[in-house]
């Protein structure tokens, strides 16, 4: 039994259903169901029984929640005490992420909020596979990933097989990004013009891009071969900062995947014009990872809460 499980059970009791509790906690319904199942297996008794409107507490479950609610309140009270006396607390955040500009903005924001504390932030930019490995070993506490819609279920299954939970944050929108000073794709061209893109170099983000297939092969998969011809000029970069610098200097284009809420919060890509890409094939999802049944540190909680808030 751990605090995370207790918090989940108390929230289920308050909400009256597993699905509503998952929404209130900003986690996936399968994660809540799995946590409840494991807890009931550990204690050897049923806490909830299923009813037509959701769930209700069993007699033993009612006794447990009466005590557990006090534990959760005490934990919240301790958090508030440490927040008011943050100079007493040594803080650490170990984070891994694919290369996203907004992560680079959030890290100094977290640091500045708690800079009066002894604080260490370790940040690694890497892909999904590397994140799973580091989470399994306990080398990082939180991972941030994005999935193309066709790979989402496969990614969640792989995470679960590694003992890692995936939590959805929000949707991502796909754009073609070009320089605001582009001569090959001037401001007078308002919509998506594949014939122009076919004449421009692609500046891609690799290997930590959100889809497995990158570059022209991926674009042809989405748009078809004919509109893009035989174009194959490509510059592959490993970070968003480098991608932007190169794109502006070679008058190229990039595939940019953004959450609109985070985009508005930080207003990045001011030097880039974003052209929406329509179609079901361009659906993406942003989420974060953590090891199953772990209690997050205060800095990890702060980071996750910011991610939820900014993406809404």
């Amino acid at each position: 039994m751990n605090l995370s499980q207790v918090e989940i059970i108390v929230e289920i009791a308050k909400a009256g259903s597993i699905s509503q509790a998952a929404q209130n906690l900003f986690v996936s319904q399968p994660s809540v169901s799995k946590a409840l199942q494991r807890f009931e297996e550990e204690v050897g008794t049923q806490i909830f029984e299923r009813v037509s409107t959701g769930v209700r507490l069993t007699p033993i479950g009612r006794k447990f929640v009466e005590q557990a609610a006090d534990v959760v309140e005490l934990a919240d009270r301790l958090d508030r005490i440490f927040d008011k006396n943050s100079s007493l607390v040594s803080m650490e955040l170990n984070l891994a992420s694919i290369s996203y500009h907004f992560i680079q903005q959030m890290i100094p924001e977290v640091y500045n909020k708690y800079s009066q504390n002894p604080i260490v932030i370790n940040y690694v930019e890497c892909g999904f596979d590397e994140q799973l490995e580091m989470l399994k070993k306990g080398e990082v506490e939180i991972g941030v990933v994005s999935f193309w819609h066709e790979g989402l279920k496969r990614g969640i299954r792989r995470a679960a097989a590694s003992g890692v939970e995936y939590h959805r944050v929000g949707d991502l929108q796909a754009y073609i990004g070009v320089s605001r000073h582009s001569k090959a794709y001037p401001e007078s061209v308002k919509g998506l013009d594949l014939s122009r893109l076919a004449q421009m170099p692609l500046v891609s983000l690799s290997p930590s891009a959100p889809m497995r297939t990158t570059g022209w092969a991926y674009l042809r998969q989405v748009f078809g071969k004919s509109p893009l011809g035989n174009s194959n000029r490509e510059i592959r970069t490993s970070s968003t900062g480098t991608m932007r610098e190169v794109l502006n200097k070679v008058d190229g284009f990039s595939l940019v995947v953004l959450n609109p809420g985070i985009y508005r919060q930080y207003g990045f890509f001011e030097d880039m014009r974003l052209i929406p890409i329509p179609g079901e094939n361009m659906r993406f999802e942003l989420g974060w990872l953590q090891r199953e049944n772990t209690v997050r540190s205060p800095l990890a909680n702060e980071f996750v809460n910011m991610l939820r808030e900014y993406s809404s």
Side-chain angles (χ1 to χ4, degrees), residues 91-94 118-122 299:
M91 311 184 84
E92 184 171 350
L93 173 63
N94 296 300
I119 183 171
V120 175
I121 298 177
N122 299 303
L299 273 190

Side-chain angles (χ1 to χ4, degrees), residues 138-182:
E139 295 172 350
V140 297
E141 188 176 3
I142 295 292
V144 180
V145 293
S146 58
F147 289 108
W148 188 25
H149 71 105
E150 291 188 359
L152 178 59
K153 290 182 180 179
R154 182 175 63 248
I156 293 174
R157 286 196 299 268
R158 290 185 57 211
S162 300
V164 173
E165 298 174 344
Y166 170 74
H167 302 275
R168 182 182 185 277
V169 172
D171 294 325
L172 298 170
Q173 293 182 6
Y175 304 85
I176 291 296
V178 298
S179 169
R180 291 198 176 276
H181 308 291
S182 174

Side-chain angles (χ1 to χ4, degrees), residues 112-311:
N112 289 333
K113 185 171 182 178
Y114 294 97
S115 59
Q116 70 274 27
N117 297 48
I119 183 171
V120 175
I121 298 177
N122 299 303
Y123 173 50
V124 180
E125 282 191 351
C126 62
F128 179 61
D129 292 337
E130 294 89 345
Q131 289 186 46
L132 288 185
E133 190 63 27
M134 286 189 288
L135 284 161
K136 282 169 58 179
K137 293 178 179 178
E139 295 172 350
V140 297
E141 188 176 3
I142 295 292
V144 180
V145 293
S146 58
F147 289 108
W148 188 25
H149 71 105
E150 291 188 359
L152 178 59
K153 290 182 180 179
R154 182 175 63 248
I156 293 174
R157 286 196 299 268
R158 290 185 57 211
S162 300
V164 173
E165 298 174 344
Y166 170 74
H167 302 275
R168 182 182 185 277
V169 172
D171 294 325
L172 298 170
Q173 293 182 6
Y175 304 85
I176 291 296
V178 298
S179 169
R180 291 198 176 276
H181 308 291
S182 174
K183 295 180 180 178
Y185 211 111
E187 292 275 358
S188 57
V189 181
K190 302 300 181 185
L192 186 62
D193 188 335
L194 296 179
S195 63
R196 285 183 180 271
L197 297 183
Q199 306 303 315
M200 300 167 67
L202 168 63
V203 184
S204 62
L205 190 61
S206 178
S208 49
M211 68 293 290
R212 284 185 175 275
T213 306
T214 58
W216 286 106
Y218 173 73
L219 292 174
R220 290 192 178 93
Q221 182 180 342
V222 173
F223 298 119
K225 294 182 180 179
S226 346
L228 295 172
N230 297 317
S231 301
N232 59 9
R233 289 178 296 161
E234 181 176 358
I235 302 173
R236 298 178 181 177
T237 66
S238 60
S239 73
T240 50
T242 304
M243 181 190 76
R244 290 169 60 192
E245 287 292 324
V246 173
L247 180 144
N248 279 289
K249 287 181 168 58
V250 301
D251 200 359
F253 75 96
S254 294
L255 175 65
V256 181
V257 183
L258 296 172
N259 176 276
I262 298 176
Y263 174 77
R264 286 190 295 270
Q265 170 69 26
Y266 290 115
F268 48 83
F269 290 118
E270 297 93 342
D271 55 348
M272 187 183 294
R273 186 158 64 98
L274 300 178
I275 303 157
I277 305 176
E280 285 297 301
N281 280 341
M282 302 309 296
R283 289 186 292 111
F284 294 83
E285 183 172 301
L286 176 69
W288 55 274
L289 305 164
Q290 73 172 57
R291 288 173 65 183
E292 291 180 341
N293 298 319
T294 57
V295 179
R296 293 187 300 274
S297 68
L299 273 190
N301 263 335
E302 180 72 26
F303 184 87
V304 168
N305 290 336
M306 286 170 57
L307 199 58
R308 291 168 177 162
E309 177 185 352
Y310 295 159
S311 61

